[in-house]
Amino acid sequence: MKTVVFEAPGHVAVKEFEKPTIEQPNDAVIKIIRACVCGSDLWWFRGLSKRESGSVVGHEAIGIVESVGAAVTHVAPGDFVILPFTHGCGHCAACRAGFEGNCLNAKEQGSSGFQGEYVRFTEADWSLVKIPGQPEDYTDAQLNDLLALSDVMATGYHAAASAEVKPGDTVVVMGDGAVGLCGVIAAKLMGATRIIAMSRHADRQALAKAFGATDIIAERGDEAIAKVVEMTDGGADAVLECVGTALSVDTAIKCARPGAVVGRVGVPQEATDANATPFWTNVGLRGGIASVTTYDRHVLLDAVLKGDIHPGWVFTKRFKLDDAQKAYEAMDQREAIKSLLIIE
């Protein structure tokens, strides 16, 4: 089978591997039909974070269950499923509280190898999210919406949930990548009446508006903060931080009104002064790894099936698996908001 591997900064390759098999009772082997490139993948693609050469990549996919271990009873061969990047056991304290991204029994936080023809998915019994019917029952656009539920839509929703967005709130969304754009969707879904998207790129500004943003701010740093404070008469009720840089976190905190909460889902890559700043303004700072299975089952899958949300619009370019290098380059060079991989 073919799977994408990281070779060196700026370079991925498609290589042949043995098809995976069931190794543990809670495993499932899944045939991938669609996968994608994540913004967090760009950290190691750009050489900003370390990754072992030859390691398999990708953590977002939808597919068909091919085989299951003896302990898997909630899904069966032939089922159409979302593959969350999180692998919650479903019964530890973290999972029971709805934070399976921090599952206490997980062998590792997150997963990899989804950019391929097949993958062995661990903790399959609880974590996999079953989709009604089969792929042929859905349009191309619907399949993209479903794929977004494996990470970016759930992560954007986690930012809004962490920020405690409420009906009538004014919300600022930091970041115009796929997660930030899905954060706009989430804020609207939760009832925010004013959504300010921070974006400097026309194509992303347009998509943010289509998703429900009411205002766009292109400035950064102190200029952006001053504009938010002026527009909101003191700061936003909730801020979604979907980037992870020190500048983004600092800006997010300073855009919040006293007593507001910043929902932080951007993978942190730099040290920030976030620990010191909020004390003097009573601003809350929380967030982390998204609860993909929980959000999909309770809110997001139903919203997609009803046509209430369309997170698949973030996929602005599509590629075959053999063209994975081009898919990464398109995102790296901002030619695509998010690159879709069609597995044939």
Side-chain angles (χ1 to χ4, degrees), residues 263-315:
R264 183 181 184 185
V265 297
V267 179
Q269 297 294 322
E270 307 164 289
T272 74
D273 63 354
N275 289 335
T277 309
F279 178 84
W280 301 107
T281 57
N282 275 294
V283 168
L285 182 65
R286 65 171 302 176
I289 306 166
S291 305
V292 183
T293 301
T294 295
Y295 294 144
D296 283 357
R297 284 183 181 156
H298 292 176
V299 179
L300 300 177
L301 178 58
D302 188 55
V304 163
L305 294 178
K306 288 180 177 177
D308 293 339
I309 62 173
H310 298 286
W313 292 356
V314 299
F315 298 108

Coordinates of all heavy atoms in Angstrom, one line a residue, residues 263-315:
G263 N -9.9 31.1 24.1 CA -9.9 29.6 23.8 C -8.7 29.4 22.9 O -8.7 29.8 21.8
R264 N -7.8 28.6 23.4 CA -6.5 28.5 22.7 C -6.3 27.1 22.1 O -6.3 26.1 22.8 CB -5.4 28.7 23.7 CG -4.0 28.7 23.2 CD -3.0 28.9 24.3 NE -1.6 29.0 23.9 CZ -0.5 29.1 24.6 NH1 -0.7 29.1 26.0 NH2 0.7 29.2 24.1
V265 N -6.3 27.0 20.8 CA -6.1 25.7 20.1 C -4.9 25.7 19.1 O -4.6 24.7 18.6 CB -7.4 25.3 19.4 CG1 -8.5 25.1 20.4 CG2 -7.7 26.2 18.3
G266 N -4.3 26.9 18.9 CA -3.1 26.9 18.0 C -2.0 26.2 18.7 O -1.7 26.5 19.9
V267 N -1.4 25.2 18.0 CA -0.3 24.4 18.7 C 0.9 25.4 19.0 O 1.4 26.0 18.1 CB 0.2 23.3 17.7 CG1 1.4 22.6 18.3 CG2 -0.9 22.4 17.4
P268 N 1.2 25.5 20.3 CA 2.3 26.5 20.7 C 3.6 26.1 20.2 O 4.1 25.0 20.3 CB 2.2 26.5 22.2 CG 1.6 25.2 22.6 CD 0.7 24.8 21.4
Q269 N 4.3 27.1 19.5 CA 5.6 26.9 19.0 C 6.7 27.8 19.6 O 7.9 27.6 19.4 CB 5.6 27.1 17.5 CG 4.7 26.1 16.7 CD 5.2 24.7 16.8 OE1 6.4 24.5 16.8 NE2 4.3 23.8 16.9
E270 N 6.2 28.8 20.4 CA 7.1 29.7 21.0 C 6.7 30.0 22.5 O 5.5 29.9 22.8 CB 7.1 31.0 20.2 CG 7.3 30.9 18.7 CD 6.9 32.1 18.0 OE1 5.7 32.4 17.9 OE2 7.8 32.9 17.5
A271 N 7.6 30.4 23.3 CA 7.3 30.9 24.6 C 6.6 32.2 24.5 O 6.9 33.1 23.6 CB 8.6 31.1 25.4
T272 N 5.6 32.4 25.4 CA 4.9 33.7 25.4 C 4.9 34.2 26.9 O 5.3 33.6 27.8 CB 3.4 33.5 25.0 OG1 2.7 32.8 26.0 CG2 3.3 32.7 23.7
D273 N 4.3 35.5 27.0 CA 4.2 36.1 28.3 C 2.8 35.9 28.8 O 2.3 36.6 29.7 CB 4.5 37.5 28.3 CG 3.6 38.4 27.4 OD1 2.8 37.8 26.7 OD2 3.8 39.6 27.4
A274 N 2.1 34.8 28.3 CA 0.7 34.6 28.6 C 0.4 34.4 30.0 O -0.7 34.7 30.5 CB 0.1 33.5 27.7
N275 N 1.4 33.8 30.8 CA 1.2 33.6 32.2 C 1.1 34.8 33.0 O 0.4 34.9 34.0 CB 2.3 32.7 32.7 CG 2.2 31.3 32.2 OD1 1.2 30.8 31.8 ND2 3.4 30.6 32.1
A276 N 1.7 35.9 32.6 CA 1.8 37.1 33.3 C 0.6 38.0 33.0 O 0.0 38.6 33.9 CB 3.1 37.8 33.1
T277 N 0.3 38.2 31.7 CA -0.7 39.2 31.3 C -2.1 39.0 31.9 O -2.7 40.0 32.4 CB -0.7 39.2 29.8 OG1 0.6 39.4 29.3 CG2 -1.6 40.4 29.3
P278 N -2.7 37.8 31.8 CA -4.1 37.7 32.2 C -4.4 38.1 33.6 O -5.6 38.5 33.9 CB -4.5 36.3 31.9 CG -3.5 35.8 30.9 CD -2.2 36.5 31.3
F279 N -3.5 38.0 34.5 CA -3.8 38.2 35.9 C -4.4 39.6 36.1 O -5.3 39.8 36.9 CB -2.5 38.1 36.8 CG -2.8 38.4 38.2 CD1 -3.3 37.4 39.1 CD2 -2.5 39.7 38.7 CE1 -3.5 37.7 40.4 CE2 -2.8 40.0 40.1 CZ -3.3 39.0 40.9
W280 N -3.8 40.6 35.5 CA -4.2 42.0 35.7 C -5.5 42.4 35.0 O -6.0 43.5 35.2 CB -3.1 42.9 35.2 CG -1.8 42.6 36.0 CD1 -0.7 42.0 35.5 CD2 -1.6 42.9 37.4 NE1 0.2 41.8 36.5 CE2 -0.3 42.3 37.7 CE3 -2.3 43.4 38.4 CZ2 0.3 42.4 38.9 CZ3 -1.7 43.5 39.7 CH2 -0.5 43.0 39.9
T281 N -6.1 41.5 34.2 CA -7.3 41.8 33.5 C -8.4 40.8 33.7 O -9.5 40.9 33.2 CB -7.1 41.9 32.0 OG1 -6.5 40.6 31.5 CG2 -6.1 43.0 31.6
N282 N -8.1 39.8 34.6 CA -9.1 38.7 34.8 C -9.5 38.0 33.6 O -10.5 37.3 33.5 CB -10.4 39.3 35.5 CG -10.2 39.4 37.0 OD1 -10.1 38.4 37.7 ND2 -10.2 40.6 37.5
V283 N -8.6 38.0 32.6 CA -8.9 37.2 31.4 C -8.5 35.8 31.6 O -7.4 35.5 32.1 CB -8.1 37.8 30.2 CG1 -8.1 36.9 29.0 CG2 -8.7 39.2 29.8
G284 N -9.4 34.9 31.2 CA -9.1 33.4 31.3 C -8.4 32.9 30.1 O -8.6 33.4 29.0
L285 N -7.5 31.9 30.2 CA -6.8 31.3 29.1 C -6.9 29.8 29.3 O -6.4 29.3 30.2 CB -5.3 31.8 29.2 CG -4.4 31.3 28.0 CD1 -4.9 31.9 26.7 CD2 -3.0 31.7 28.3
R286 N -7.6 29.2 28.3 CA -7.7 27.7 28.4 C -7.8 27.2 27.0 O -8.0 27.9 26.0 CB -8.9 27.3 29.2 CG -10.2 27.7 28.6 CD -11.4 27.1 29.4 NE -11.2 25.6 29.4 CZ -12.1 24.8 30.1 NH1 -13.1 25.3 30.8 NH2 -11.9 23.5 30.0
G287 N -7.7 25.9 26.9 CA -7.7 25.2 25.6 C -6.7 24.2 25.5 O -5.9 23.9 26.5
G288 N -6.5 23.6 24.3 CA -5.6 22.5 24.1 C -6.0 21.6 23.0 O -6.6 22.0 22.0
I289 N -5.8 20.3 23.2 CA -6.2 19.3 22.2 C -7.7 19.1 22.1 O -8.4 19.0 23.1 CB -5.5 18.0 22.5 CG1 -4.0 18.1 22.6 CG2 -5.8 17.0 21.4 CD1 -3.3 16.9 23.3
A290 N -8.2 19.2 20.9 CA -9.7 19.1 20.8 C -10.3 17.7 21.2 O -9.6 16.7 21.1 CB -10.1 19.4 19.3
S291 N -11.6 17.8 21.5 CA -12.3 16.6 21.8 C -13.1 16.1 20.6 O -14.3 16.4 20.5 CB -13.2 16.8 23.0 OG -12.5 17.3 24.1
V292 N -12.4 15.5 19.6 CA -13.0 15.3 18.3 C -14.2 14.4 18.4 O -15.3 14.7 17.9 CB -12.0 14.8 17.3 CG1 -12.6 14.6 15.9 CG2 -10.8 15.7 17.3
T293 N -14.1 13.2 19.0 CA -15.1 12.2 19.0 C -16.4 12.8 19.8 O -17.5 12.7 19.3 CB -14.7 11.0 19.8 OG1 -13.6 10.4 19.1 CG2 -15.8 9.9 19.8
T294 N -16.1 13.5 20.9 CA -17.3 14.0 21.7 C -18.0 15.1 20.9 O -19.2 15.1 20.8 CB -16.7 14.6 23.0 OG1 -16.2 13.6 23.8 CG2 -17.8 15.4 23.7
Y295 N -17.3 16.1 20.3 CA -18.0 17.1 19.5 C -18.7 16.6 18.3 O -19.8 17.0 18.0 CB -17.0 18.2 19.1 CG -16.3 19.0 20.3 CD1 -15.0 19.4 20.2 CD2 -17.1 19.3 21.4 CE1 -14.4 20.1 21.2 CE2 -16.5 20.0 22.4 CZ -15.2 20.4 22.4 OH -14.6 21.1 23.4
D296 N -18.0 15.6 17.6 CA -18.7 15.1 16.4 C -20.0 14.4 16.8 O -21.0 14.6 16.1 CB -17.7 14.1 15.7 CG -16.6 14.7 14.9 OD1 -16.6 16.0 14.9 OD2 -15.8 14.0 14.4
R297 N -19.9 13.6 17.8 CA -21.1 12.8 18.2 C -22.3 13.7 18.7 O -23.4 13.5 18.4 CB -20.8 11.7 19.2 CG -20.1 10.5 18.6 CD -19.8 9.5 19.7 NE -19.1 8.4 19.1 CZ -18.3 7.6 19.9 NH1 -18.2 7.8 21.2 NH2 -17.7 6.5 19.3
H298 N -21.9 14.7 19.5 CA -22.9 15.5 20.2 C -23.5 16.6 19.3 O -24.6 17.1 19.5 CB -22.4 16.0 21.5 CG -22.1 14.9 22.5 ND1 -21.5 15.2 23.7 CD2 -22.3 13.6 22.5 CE1 -21.4 14.1 24.4 NE2 -21.9 13.1 23.7
V299 N -22.6 17.2 18.4 CA -23.0 18.4 17.8 C -22.7 18.4 16.2 O -23.6 18.6 15.4 CB -22.3 19.6 18.4 CG1 -22.7 20.9 17.6 CG2 -22.6 19.8 19.9
L300 N -21.5 18.1 15.9 CA -21.0 18.5 14.6 C -21.5 17.6 13.4 O -21.8 18.0 12.3 CB -19.5 18.6 14.6 CG -18.9 19.6 15.5 CD1 -17.4 19.6 15.6 CD2 -19.4 21.0 15.2
L301 N -21.5 16.2 13.7 CA -22.0 15.3 12.6 C -23.4 15.7 12.3 O -23.7 15.7 11.1 CB -21.8 13.9 13.1 CG -22.3 12.8 12.1 CD1 -21.6 13.0 10.7 CD2 -22.1 11.4 12.6
D302 N -24.2 15.9 13.2 CA -25.6 16.2 13.0 C -25.7 17.5 12.2 O -26.6 17.6 11.3 CB -26.4 16.3 14.3 CG -27.9 16.4 14.1 OD1 -28.5 15.6 13.4 OD2 -28.5 17.4 14.6
A303 N -24.9 18.5 12.6 CA -25.0 19.8 11.9 C -24.6 19.7 10.4 O -25.1 20.3 9.6 CB -24.0 20.8 12.6
V304 N -23.6 18.8 10.1 CA -23.2 18.6 8.8 C -24.3 17.8 8.0 O -24.6 18.2 6.9 CB -21.9 17.8 8.7 CG1 -21.6 17.2 7.3 CG2 -20.7 18.7 9.0
L305 N -24.8 16.8 8.6 CA -25.9 16.0 7.9 C -27.1 16.8 7.6 O -27.8 16.6 6.6 CB -26.2 14.7 8.8 CG -25.1 13.7 9.0 CD1 -25.6 12.6 9.9 CD2 -24.6 13.2 7.6
K306 N -27.4 17.8 8.5 CA -28.6 18.6 8.3 C -28.3 19.8 7.3 O -29.2 20.5 6.9 CB -29.0 19.2 9.6 CG -29.7 18.2 10.5 CD -30.1 18.9 11.8 CE -30.9 18.0 12.7 NZ -31.2 18.6 14.0
G307 N -27.0 19.9 6.9 CA -26.6 21.0 6.0 C -26.5 22.4 6.7 O -26.5 23.4 6.1
D308 N -26.4 22.4 8.1 CA -26.3 23.6 8.8 C -25.0 24.3 8.7 O -24.9 25.5 8.8 CB -26.7 23.4 10.3 CG -28.1 23.0 10.5 OD1 -29.0 23.3 9.6 OD2 -28.4 22.4 11.6
I309 N -23.9 23.5 8.6 CA -22.6 24.0 8.4 C -21.9 23.3 7.3 O -22.2 22.2 6.9 CB -21.8 23.8 9.7 CG1 -21.6 22.3 10.1 CG2 -22.4 24.6 10.9 CD1 -20.7 22.0 11.2
H310 N -20.9 24.0 6.7 CA -20.1 23.5 5.5 C -18.6 23.7 5.7 O -18.0 24.4 4.9 CB -20.6 24.1 4.2 CG -22.1 23.9 4.0 ND1 -22.5 22.6 3.5 CD2 -23.2 24.7 4.1 CE1 -23.9 22.7 3.4 NE2 -24.3 23.9 3.7
P311 N -18.0 23.0 6.7 CA -16.6 23.2 6.9 C -15.7 22.7 5.8 O -14.6 23.1 5.6 CB -16.3 22.4 8.2 CG -17.4 21.3 8.2 CD -18.6 22.1 7.6
G312 N -16.3 21.9 4.9 CA -15.5 21.4 3.8 C -15.1 22.4 2.8 O -14.3 22.2 1.9
W313 N -15.7 23.6 2.9 CA -15.3 24.7 2.0 C -13.9 25.1 2.2 O -13.3 25.8 1.4 CB -16.2 25.9 2.2 CG -17.7 25.7 1.8 CD1 -18.2 24.6 1.2 CD2 -18.8 26.6 2.0 NE1 -19.5 24.8 1.0 CE2 -19.9 26.0 1.4 CE3 -18.9 27.9 2.5 CZ2 -21.2 26.6 1.4 CZ3 -20.1 28.5 2.5 CH2 -21.3 27.9 2.0
V314 N -13.3 24.7 3.3 CA -11.9 25.1 3.5 C -10.9 24.4 2.6 O -9.8 24.8 2.4 CB -11.4 24.8 5.0 CG1 -12.2 25.7 5.9 CG2 -11.4 23.4 5.3
F315 N -11.4 23.3 1.9 CA -10.6 22.6 1.0 C -10.6 23.3 -0.4 O -11.6 23.1 -1.1 CB -11.0 21.1 0.8 CG -10.9 20.3 2.1 CD1 -12.1 20.0 2.8 CD2 -9.7 19.9 2.6 CE1 -12.0 19.2 4.0 CE2 -9.6 19.2 3.8 CZ -10.8 18.9 4.5

